[in-house]
Amino acid sequence: MPTKPPDLIYGVDETPPTVTLLLLGLQHIFLVTSALVFPVVIIRAVGGTAEDAAFIVTMSMLAGSIGTVLQTINRKGIGSGYLCPAVCGPSYISASLLAMQTGGLSLLYGMTAVAGAAEALFSRFLHRLRFLFPTEVTGVVVTMVGIAVIPIAVQNLLGTGTGDPFTEPAELFVAAVTLGTMVAASVWGRGSLRLYSVLVGMVVGYVAAAATGVLGPDAIARFVDAPLFAFPEIRHPGWSFDAALLLPFIVVVISSTFKTIGDLTTCQKINDTGWKRPDMKNISGGILADGLSAVVAGLLGGMGQATSSSNVGLSIGTAAASRAIAYVVAAILLVLVFVPKLAAAFVIMPQPVMGSVVIFAVTFIIVTGLRIITSRMLDARRTFVVGLSFIFGLGAGMIPDFTAGMHPLVQPVFASSLSVATVTALVVNLIFRIGIAERQSLVLEPGTGFPNAIFSFFERVGGAWGARPEVIRRAESAVNELMELITIVDAADGPVQVDVKFTEEALSIDARYRGRPLDLEPGPSAAGGQSDDEGDLARLPVLLIRQYADSVRTDGRGGECRVRLHFEH
């Protein structure tokens, strides 16, 4: 059973009072609705109409409401049961733009539904394919999700785009004021100001745009004329499918899956003070909910949905992780579907304001990806996985007409920097897995010289395995203390054979030697027959070994002694 951390006010299974619950839900809505800028970006990038933008925003809110409930229920293998709302996923932007340019809205909706179905299917096999997704691959994909959006984000920030290749001074002013306000509120703000930094920046941006003429009278009139309550206008064009776009949307599935794994792992950690490792069964249910949310979005006419990292962070900041808050978020989103004025507010959003919001969000995505990469040890192989993926991914985005001359079936693989980087990371990782064994061995001589040998060994194998640095440090220290103890009490008649086995769940060490057995129970003795002075010297290594390792076992038979150390990973 998970143990609620003492600094968490409302745990996942607790329900806050009604008024508090509503206020907490409203706080999350501010972050959820900020992601509605992404579907507007897609529609505008291909010259879509304001009506199309309003429809996709409205349907995205409805899909987000359903997706949030699916993520929260945690029943019959669907959902994680955590506060992790569904929002318009930035992972979908590049592929969605490609679908719009190729076949319009019908192809966008059809491919989004197909991508969601693929993610739902993938969730059933996730535990068997875990070797394909080490942290360096996950980190590369998450980072490239942000990097791939940079061109369109900067284009909007500067107020350029279809039919408008020039940046006006007023647009630069609005961009600077909007982005500057968001950053300042996030860095120097306290309390509510920091919590609502995006919302505050958007309001300031709208005011600045209206004052400078960037937000024209026609746009303002469209917002004023929009009804406060109304049933959404159905403008669904139907669904279509293009096999040539299957690979780009599979890349979206991989990106969205990686992001969801990170979000749900964080949810598990903040709700359990005794957390050791990700619960993959729980995460599989969450990814299934993620995929079903995208299917719903495609069927309804919205943008693909994914879990929101920002909302997970908000639950940490407010110390409130109750799943009841998620149901309030879903209910508010459902109500907003029938408020066209809100959709109009996003449809008329000035380009500099839109670009500022996207850049603000992308900043956190990129840094999160880099943190994932550096959370594990990197040897030469893993360094090449990261470096080559970034080089080829970024290179593909920098070269004009990169796909010109390629076969039509191959072009989608290289259609964006995200797809090139993801494919490169997966292929290079599979190649570099050759020659990496789960088991490694080291022979140590009691006496002197073993610390350097231990350090070099664990640095090498830790990097090859991509282990967590803190686990490798504890293992190094435990083996070093074990050798110190064997030397102090003169327990071994010869060398010590150290066998190390690594999996994503654990690091196991089996040290064998011939000689006297060690007693590693806390107490005055560590080996039979030693002097009192030796016993005093042996107490500290015994205590340290037990502190470093999660479990310690000893046994001896036929003159061969064995010490087994286990480390949760």
Side-chain angles (χ1 to χ4, degrees), residues 103-124:
L105 283 170
S106 65
L107 186 57
L108 168 63
Y109 297 149
M111 295 308 299
T112 298
V114 169
E119 185 174 5
L121 180 63
F122 178 69
S123 71
R124 303 298 86 188

Side-chain angles (χ1 to χ4, degrees), residues 482-506:
L482 177 62
M483 290 303 299
E484 290 280 4
L485 178 60
I486 290 174
T487 301
I488 290 172
V489 301
D490 195 21
D493 295 334
V496 179
Q497 173 81 21
V498 180
D499 298 320
V500 184
K501 180 182 178 181
F502 175 79
T503 66
E504 274 296 320
E505 290 75 28

